[in-house]
Amino acid sequence: MIRVGVFGAGGRMGSTVCRAVHEAPDMELVAAVDPHHAGIDLHQLGVHGTQIQVAAKASALADAGAEVAVDFTVVDAARENLRWCAQHGVHAVVGTTGFGEAELAELAEVFEAAASNALVAPNFAIGAVLMMRFAELAAPYFDSVEIIELHHDQKVDAPSGTAIATAQRIAAASKEWAEDPTRNLVAEGARGASVEGVPVHAVRLRGLVAHQEVLFGTTGQQLSIRHDTTDRTSFMPGVLLAIRKVREHPGLTVGLDRILGL
Ligand code: NAD
């Protein structure tokens, strides 16, 4: 049994992770930390059949003998939690978004010297990880590419981090793209945003969750690669896989690709 603690247990993702870990046959949920929900019982968060109360401090993980900590918080908290994990020999699986390149390089050094490992993944939906990989593989064989990302009507940033990452990987995989034919831009923005030369269109619509389509075209054929996230549980197989595998990957691993063997 893998002993797991969860940072951000009172949040949307954290409480979903608590449920998924509690239901996993090879894992035991041993601690839950969230300073803004401290003192409440986990069953109030929909995790039934456990006596665990949400704690205010990371020390609850050490007291409970957690081997792996999962973090879905905010980047300032995740930064501190990661360092705590490195200092206490606890493996870390982090879904919190917002880490910059320089910070990840710094964390790589921290975990190089630590007795435990860390995995930071901005997208735990295995289908989304595969979509990016498939897009990268397809890129050299097509002349045109466009990305359409579609999200719920509360999303404050555009385009999405996944769309930006997909465009960057497509651009790295091929430089041979047909010229944009547009000579008369009748309405500003009609051709979307350009991310490393790849047009990206962001749709915001009530009722959607997170969706993306990558459209490739060449003479006589088109390829569409689409991924739809319809529920937060879509992230759980990726999170559980990372919990199982993080021990086997020394230092810091960024993204799920390596864990999936891609
Ligand atoms: P949320 O606001 O519902 O939950 C965050 C929780 O973290 C809150 O309950 C808050 O009290 C808690 N928290 C704050 N400081 C803390 C600390 N020091 N220690 C422990 N807990 C602390 O947010 P959410 O929707 O669950 O998203 C959380 C993060 O996960 C965001 O960064 C989001 O972008 C990211 N996210 C990542 C993926 C992925 O696949 N990697 C998917 C969805 C969301």
Side-chain angles (χ1 to χ4, degrees):
M1 290 290 245
I2 309 171
R3 297 176 68 78
V4 182
V6 176
F7 287 115
R12 285 170 290 226
M13 286 297 289
S15 57
T16 313
V17 171
C18 286
R19 276 193 291 281
V21 167
H22 183 57
E23 286 166 12
D26 55 340
M27 295 178 197
E28 191 182 349
L29 180 65
V30 295
V33 176
D34 195 322
H36 304 111
H37 295 85
I40 66 168
D41 293 328
L42 274 189
H43 67 78
Q44 290 174 266
L45 297 169
V47 189
H48 301 295
T50 158
Q51 305 298 315
I52 295 172
Q53 268 195 352
V54 178
K57 294 206 168 118
S59 54
L61 268 76
D63 296 345
E67 298 161 74
V68 180
V70 180
D71 183 295
F72 281 92
T73 59
V74 288
V75 73
D76 288 344
R79 191 173 285 139
E80 277 184 33
N81 293 339
L82 264 164
R83 286 178 194 275
W84 183 92
C85 286
Q87 282 159 8
H88 291 82
V90 175
H91 300 300
V93 169
V94 179
T96 306
T97 51
F99 288 101
E101 292 286 318
E103 191 162 22
L104 288 172
E106 219 178 283
L107 284 168
E109 280 180 26
V110 169
F111 278 93
E112 188 88 7
S116 57
N117 309 329
L119 182 137
V120 178
N123 201 327
F124 274 102
I126 289 173
V129 176
L130 288 170
M131 168 188 61
M132 287 188 259
R133 180 72 184 124
F134 294 158
E136 193 173 53
L137 289 175
Y141 303 99
F142 289 87
D143 300 318
S144 321
V145 62
E146 309 233 348
I147 297 173
I148 306 171
E149 59 95 328
L150 311 92
H151 282 84
H152 56 86
D153 63 342
Q154 305 293 310
K155 187 167 177 62
V156 293
D157 54 318
S160 71
T162 298
I164 293 172
T166 311
Q168 287 169 338
R169 287 174 65 166
I170 287 171
S174 176
K175 306 276 176 244
E176 309 282 311
W177 299 107
E179 203 189 314
D180 187 331
T182 312
R183 293 291 171 267
N184 180 17
L185 196 65
V186 180
E188 192 62 41
R191 297 290 295 119
S194 173
V195 179
E196 300 210 14
V198 178
V200 179
H201 310 270
V203 177
R204 297 292 173 261
L205 218 58
R206 187 158 298 176
L208 292 180
V209 180
H211 316 257
Q212 180 167 294
E213 196 159 352
V214 186
L215 307 172
F216 289 101
T218 188
T219 313
Q221 57 179 318
Q222 287 79 45
L223 172 69
S224 304
I225 305 169
R226 182 175 172 113
H227 179 254
D228 295 281
T229 304
T230 49
D231 191 272
R232 245 171 232 113
T233 51
S234 66
F235 300 112
M236 295 307 117
V239 173
L240 296 182
L241 183 69
I243 293 170
R244 291 184 184 110
K245 297 281 187 182
V246 64
R247 287 180 288 192
E248 299 165 21
H249 294 267
L252 173 76
T253 302
V254 179
L256 267 195
D257 293 64
R258 194 133 60 90
I259 297 278
L260 291 172
L262 295 175

